Amino acid sequence: MLLIKRKLRIETERLSLRPPIHADFRAWAALRVDSIDYLTPWEPAWADDHLTRKAFTNRVYWAQRSVSGGTAMPLFLVRRRDDMLIGAITLDNIRRGPAQSG
């Protein structure tokens, strides 16, 4: 059986939604630092190594496995006019079957 790996990318007039890649590390870390006050009430406490390259690399690998396995869709929101990372969203806990959910 031939397995075709589909790339997940959603394009709108102003945004591209795509999984994270290793080259996003600096933009991601800067965005997280700039947004810490907003994010704190909504997220679990960050680990001490949350903003490290190694932690981000693990995040990228998790994203790749999740997309391939169909269990989650972690997406970065990238503004098309200047290719700037402006946010992220994850649809997680995707379940298949008669009552599909995510």
Side-chain angles (χ1 to χ4, degrees):
M1 174 194 271
L2 178 64
L3 295 175
I4 298 173
K5 198 174 195 180
R6 290 184 285 163
K7 291 201 177 229
L8 174 61
R9 188 175 192 101
I10 300 168
E11 299 286 342
T12 71
E13 184 178 327
R14 294 180 291 175
L15 292 175
S16 295
L17 286 76
R18 59 161 177 78
I21 57 175
H22 295 286
D24 292 324
F25 170 69
R26 288 182 188 203
W28 172 83
L31 182 61
R32 299 292 285 179
V33 168
D34 291 346
S35 305
I36 194 166
D37 290 336
Y38 174 78
L39 295 172
T40 299
W42 306 104
E43 293 189 344
W46 293 355
D48 291 337
D49 70 342
H50 180 75
L51 295 174
T52 65
R53 184 173 292 277
K54 181 174 179 175
F56 185 75
T57 296
N58 291 338
R59 182 180 299 272
V60 170
Y61 287 130
W62 171 82
Q64 291 170 347
R65 286 190 312 272
S66 297
V67 170
S68 293
T71 59
M73 290 192 315
L75 300 170
F76 276 11
L77 287 73
V78 179
R79 191 168 50 206
R80 291 183 72 179
R81 83 174 134 88
D82 57 3
D83 207 32
M84 182 176 188
L85 178 63
I86 61 170
I89 188 168
T90 300
L91 175 61
D92 201 351
N93 201 26
I94 296 173
R95 300 289 180 233
R96 310 287 179 190
Q100 296 189 49
S101 65

